[in-house]
Amino acid sequence: MGMTLALQRLATLSWQFLALTPLLALAAYWTGGEPALAALAATVPLAVLAFGRLAPPERPGAVSDQVIARLDAILSETAVRGGATGCLVIQFDGAAHLCDRLGRARQSEVLATLVARLRGALRPGDLLYPLEDGGLAVVLSASPRLDAEIMVRIAARMQLVVQQPVILASGPVQVICSIGFCHSPQLAQPDGRALLDAAQIAGDEARACRPGAIRGFTAELARARAERDALRTGFADGVGRGEVRAWFQPQVSTDSGEVTGIEALVRWHHPERGCLAPGAFLPAIEGSDLMELLGHTMLTQSLATLADLDRQGLRIPTVAVNLSQQELRDPHLPDRLAWTLDRFGLTPSRLTVEVLESVVAGDGEDIVAANIARIAALGCGVDLDDFGTGHASITAIRRFALHRLKIDRSFVQHIDQNRDQQNLVTAILSLAERLGLDTVAEGVETPAEHALLAQLGCGHVQGFVVARPMPAEDLAEWLAAYRDRQSREIRIGVRAK
């Protein structure tokens, strides 16, 4: 039995066993001669094969487990001696773009330099750990003077260290980071896992707010995170149950008054929370595969509605569907659009895709530009959404195959009363005309705003002054009533002459 246990132990220690093999052979020969040596030679390989297969490989603990263990040790110390600790989570903004721009080897060189700098900037006793998701965790040593204000200063100092340019052979590279932190007294019953989780919640909030943000943990953040997690978990089931639906808002020509298109806007008819607008649930699913599910759902419902209106004799020229940056990176996107159009028997000109200006104003990824070009070549329209809010340059606008600029509602509101607003919109319309692009103003709420936009030369308007967003089942009735009203106004105008 003892020999069996010894062999089992040796089987799990591969390099140690190899080092001891000569000594074992010599000992066997001295004690039992050639028969013992032969027995050892026959037994040991079989034991290694048998027990080695059964023994689980030793794996180092996850880094997050090391962080938690360290925090637990410091919290135990503070419980006896007093003081406080804290945890910070550092996340590098745009790490994926950094890899695309520099390559993986140089990205690793930059990040290694930043980690070395951060270690040098820590206080005595503070420890830095690389996390599995590419971020960093900083565990602060116990201190009687540590408070939330000091933690903000520590975070700001770390940001300053990170943002100093890293000099490569190809030139300087600057990286920006977002930081979340949690001060141990903020938790009612702090332990290592809860402290790390809280810092990660704050870090996610910082990254979502803007590049280079710093956020401290609060109970409200935790509640918001739990709510987002619940929405994310239930979204796919909601799609399957038909709760996620496309609503539509008409767009009309400022020249003829005819309906020139509709925009698809998502609504989630949540069984417990009622009808949710996009702002209530999109932040919960952004960056996940659920965005692709949403995009497919909206495209399918939008084209189905357009085809159904055709069958009722209520033809609308085009439907506009928003595409996220995540979808625009999919190399198969243009093919998917073509297949779905063919499925409903619609020509490509009946579909308009809307692209946020922030996408065009970014790094201008080649795959995004190529996809937009292929979509335009297919015959679909391409609208630049929320124009004026994303700081896109003229060069960026010309690089993408665009057909129309959508003027953001922030420039349209009270345009009939605000001279500065009028000047801004006039400049946008002039730019569009020079670039050969059509225009549509969104968020138009009053007849006065509508009239002034028409006078300034805006091609189309969309907003409450025309109609509020409505479900597909109400769209046909609204469209028939609108066209009937428009035809009666024309007949009255003709008789008046």
Side-chain angles (χ1 to χ4, degrees):
M1 181 66 179
M3 181 62 176
T4 301
L5 291 174
L7 288 173
Q8 184 174 1
R9 175 62 179 161
L10 286 171
T12 63
L13 303 173
S14 57
W15 68 268
Q16 295 96 325
F17 177 75
L18 289 174
L20 291 173
T21 299
L23 182 60
L24 289 172
L26 185 60
Y29 183 76
W30 281 348
T31 57
E34 291 185 2
L37 185 60
L40 179 68
T43 304
V44 168
L46 295 175
V48 170
L49 289 173
F51 297 122
R53 186 181 293 113
L54 295 174
E58 293 186 2
R59 298 179 181 175
V63 176
S64 56
D65 292 337
Q66 299 173 32
V67 176
I68 291 168
R70 179 60 182 165
L71 285 169
D72 281 333
I74 297 175
L75 287 167
S76 297
E77 179 185 339
T78 60
V80 175
R81 301 183 180 180
T85 183
C87 182
L88 300 95
V89 169
I90 303 171
Q91 303 185 77
F92 298 111
D93 299 323
H97 295 304
L98 187 68
C99 182
D100 293 340
R101 195 168 82 245
L102 301 176
R104 190 164 298 279
R106 287 187 177 176
Q107 181 206 33
S108 298
E109 181 183 348
V110 169
L111 296 181
T113 301
L114 297 178
V115 168
R117 286 181 183 176
L118 287 166
R119 291 190 193 280
L122 294 177
R123 308 173 309 162
D126 296 345
L127 293 176
L128 179 71
Y129 297 86
L131 294 173
E132 291 84 355
D133 63 357
L136 303 171
V138 177
V139 177
L140 301 181
S141 59
S143 170
R145 296 189 302 147
L146 184 66
D147 58 21
E149 183 179 350
I150 292 176
M151 292 201 68
V152 171
R153 293 177 188 170
I154 293 172
R157 183 170 73 244
M158 291 177 179
Q159 272 193 338
L160 187 62
V161 168
V162 168
Q163 291 172 5
Q164 296 302 311
V166 177
I167 308 301
L168 300 177
S170 57
V173 176
Q174 186 175 36
V175 178
I176 298 175
C177 67
S178 301
I179 301 180
F181 67 85
C182 182
H183 186 221
S184 60
Q186 289 180 279
L187 303 179
Q189 295 180 325
D191 58 39
R193 183 173 296 279
L195 199 51
L196 176 59
D197 287 346
Q200 288 178 320
I201 289 172
D204 290 343
E205 178 70 15
R207 185 167 55 179
C209 285
R210 59 183 174 84
I214 296 175
R215 289 291 182 272
F217 173 80
T218 63
E220 180 57 37
L221 275 185
R223 284 192 293 271
R225 173 67 170 267
E227 184 175 311
R228 285 197 299 270
D229 289 346
L231 288 171
R232 185 184 300 114
T233 301
F235 184 79
D237 290 339
V239 171
R241 291 191 296 265
E243 297 167 3
V244 178
R245 306 172 197 165
W247 283 31
F248 301 94
Q249 188 170 38
Q251 301 165 340
V252 301
S253 167
T254 56
D255 182 29
S256 65
E258 294 181 358
V259 176
T260 54
I262 50 176
E263 181 185 0
L265 303 166
V266 64
R267 295 292 186 270
W268 183 1
H269 296 262
H270 197 280
E272 298 172 359
R273 301 180 56 186
C275 185
L276 300 181
F281 62 89
L282 280 186
I285 67 172
E286 283 177 339
S288 70
D289 292 342
L290 294 174
M291 285 299 294
E292 295 182 13
L293 175 62
L294 173 61
H296 174 74
T297 302
M298 292 296 291
L299 177 66
T300 302
Q301 292 187 15
S302 298
L303 296 183
T305 298
L306 212 59
D308 186 55
L309 289 173
D310 284 354
R311 287 190 291 270
Q312 298 180 56
L314 298 169
R315 187 180 188 277
I316 292 178
T318 183
V319 61
V321 178
N322 289 274
L323 294 181
S324 68
Q325 187 169 12
Q326 185 175 335
E327 292 175 279
L328 288 168
R329 292 195 189 107
D330 179 5
H332 302 296
L333 174 64
D335 295 327
R336 266 199 303 114
L337 297 182
W339 295 334
T340 311
L341 283 162
D342 186 60
R343 172 186 168 189
F344 290 101
L346 299 171
T347 61
S349 63
R350 305 292 300 280
L351 174 65
T352 296
V353 300
E354 293 194 358
V355 182
L356 287 173
E357 188 189 4
S358 56
V359 174
V360 176
D363 292 338
E365 299 172 78
D366 289 339
I367 182 63
V368 173
N371 271 345
I372 293 176
R374 287 178 60 194
I375 291 169
L378 187 66
C380 300
V382 182
D383 284 1
L384 185 60
D385 197 13
D386 293 344
F387 183 74
T389 63
H391 312 294
S393 66
I394 296 177
T395 302
I397 293 174
R398 295 189 62 176
R399 181 168 177 249
F400 290 81
L402 304 175
H403 293 86
R404 188 166 64 170
L405 299 183
K406 290 196 73 175
I407 304 171
D408 186 69
R409 66 181 67 247
S410 61
F411 299 109
V412 171
Q413 192 174 25
H414 306 308
I415 190 173
D416 57 310
Q417 305 169 25
N418 189 317
R419 176 66 65 178
D420 291 337
Q421 297 282 72
Q422 294 173 24
N423 292 336
L424 282 171
V425 171
T426 300
I428 293 172
L429 295 173
S430 177
L431 172 65
E433 184 180 6
R434 294 295 181 91
L435 295 176
L437 302 175
D438 202 354
T439 51
V440 56
E442 56 183 350
V444 184
E445 297 189 355
T446 67
E449 292 171 355
H450 184 178
L452 186 57
L453 286 164
Q455 292 173 13
L456 293 176
C458 183
H460 311 265
V461 294
Q462 170 185 345
F464 290 175
V465 71
V466 178
R468 294 177 177 271
M470 65 191 81
E473 53 268 26
D474 295 344
L475 182 58
E477 182 180 351
W478 178 90
L479 188 59
Y482 178 84
R483 288 178 174 173
D484 180 63
R485 184 170 65 252
Q486 189 182 33
S487 64
R488 281 190 281 107
E489 289 174 355
I490 292 173
R491 287 197 299 272
I492 292 172
V494 169
R495 282 199 293 270
K497 292 180 180 180

